[in-house]
Amino acid sequence: MFYREAGDFKTSYRDDSQTFPIGFDRYRYYAVLVLAFAVVPFAIDDYWASAIFVPFLIYAIAAIGLNILVGYCGQLSLGTGGFMAVGAYACYKLMTAFPDLNIVFCILGGGLVTAAVGVLFGLPSLRIKGFYLAVATLAAQFFLVWLFNKVPWFYNHSASGQISAPARTVFGQPVTGAGVEAWAQYMICLVFAVVLAWTARNLTRGTVGRSWMAIRDMDIAAEIIGVNPLKAKLTAFAVSSFYIGIAGALFFAVYLGAVEVGEAFGIQKSFLILFMIIIGGLGSIFGSFAGAAFLVLLPVLLKNVLVGTLGWPTDLTAHVQLMILGALIIGFLIAEPHGLAQLWRVGKEKLRLWPFPH
């Protein structure tokens, strides 16, 4: 009654294999896009942009990138924070070295540099996997943070060790620097998020994505049937790092404006994004958005309820947040390993059958 495909006929293989084969899903998707592009920019203010929408979109991009590597290719990584730092510092160097270069190209350049670094640190995946690969990427996390702290060239010999984003515009509208309007921050992040999510969806449904999933399911069998492990793993690291680098560049230039590598891109950031894809759902683009939304909204909700309403101390609320997050991760790993994305799929299937039990 509420979710049916009656009358939704397919007359070609292209129609049958599209991302949203059911008309109801397509219309809902279009409605969300219209709401995001045509309504939210006119209603958003500084609080909603800085506390919810902008971090949600940036973390969603990073979660998609990590999900490509972990969820689709099965290569565990704990170096997300370090790769975000690479994107941020590469974007900063491009912004300062080429003052006339558009900020969009600086962000894309940060993603490309991060992709190259990701391929370099992905080379061990050709020989090791599982826990050992996780340790290798964790070493990359610590090495990259140490490198950006110890080499003054990366932060242009600043006395504070911080990097600050110069003022840049897109179509004459400031998007970085002081005095940036909330809707401008939101729109540039939204455009990147939508384009990258659409690209990731098409990649994972094509030949490249199938080779990633074959390596994830059983790498020896994949190699026997003709999948090149070298190409599959390194392309997964490259694409994943590209997404994460763009997220790091946006996090630095558009969201924060000034960062210090140890505080902004420490090991906590790597675990946070890993938790997003665990809770949202491994191997799911929607799960990346769902996990990012959940972990962005959770601290805001707890702060408003526990601190604002109940008057709890801020430090106690932070510890409660960690306890809730840990309990949720354990619960999802035991009860629903595929996360919120699987719950969403099950809910849709039940609506398709309702009110019948089978």
Side-chain angles (χ1 to χ4, degrees), residues 92-103:
Y92 171 70
K93 294 299 292 185
L94 289 172
M95 293 175 73
T96 53
F98 305 98
D100 297 328
L101 186 62
N102 190 283
I103 180 62

Side-chain angles (χ1 to χ4, degrees), residues 1-13:
M1 181 180 296
F2 298 107
Y3 186 74
R4 290 288 187 271
E5 58 231 77
D8 195 351
F9 301 110
K10 309 296 185 302
T11 58
S12 67
Y13 287 113

Side-chain angles (χ1 to χ4, degrees), residues 12-32:
S12 67
Y13 287 113
R14 180 179 180 181
D15 293 338
D16 194 46
S17 62
Q18 58 186 321
T19 300
F20 300 106
I22 300 177
F24 182 83
D25 286 335
R26 289 196 301 275
Y27 302 144
R28 186 182 64 233
Y29 170 73
Y30 296 145
V32 170

Side-chain angles (χ1 to χ4, degrees), residues 54-64 84 247 251 255 264 269 272-273 276 288 292-293 295-296:
V54 172
F56 157 66
L57 293 171
I58 294 173
Y59 282 131
I61 295 172
I64 291 173
M84 287 182 70
F251 192 77
Y255 180 46
K269 193 71 66 183
L272 176 64
I273 298 172
M276 287 179 184
S288 302
L295 289 187
V296 168

Side-chain angles (χ1 to χ4, degrees), residues 154-213:
F154 288 111
Y155 51 85
N156 287 350
H157 301 272
S158 170
S160 64
Q162 285 189 339
I163 56 174
S164 300
R168 293 290 185 271
T169 62
V170 175
F171 300 117
Q173 178 64 42
V175 294
T176 64
V180 180
E181 296 187 33
W183 70 268
Q185 286 182 312
Y186 165 77
M187 282 300 295
I188 188 172
C189 294
L190 177 64
V191 170
F192 271 103
V194 171
V195 172
L196 292 175
W198 176 81
T199 305
R201 178 61 179 167
N202 283 279
L203 275 176
T204 55
R205 282 161 50 89
T207 304
V208 176
R210 291 188 176 93
S211 67
W212 291 342
M213 288 182 276

Side-chain angles (χ1 to χ4, degrees), residues 106-123:
C106 293
I107 294 171
L108 292 175
L112 291 174
V113 172
T114 312
V117 175
V119 169
L120 179 64
F121 283 104
L123 289 174

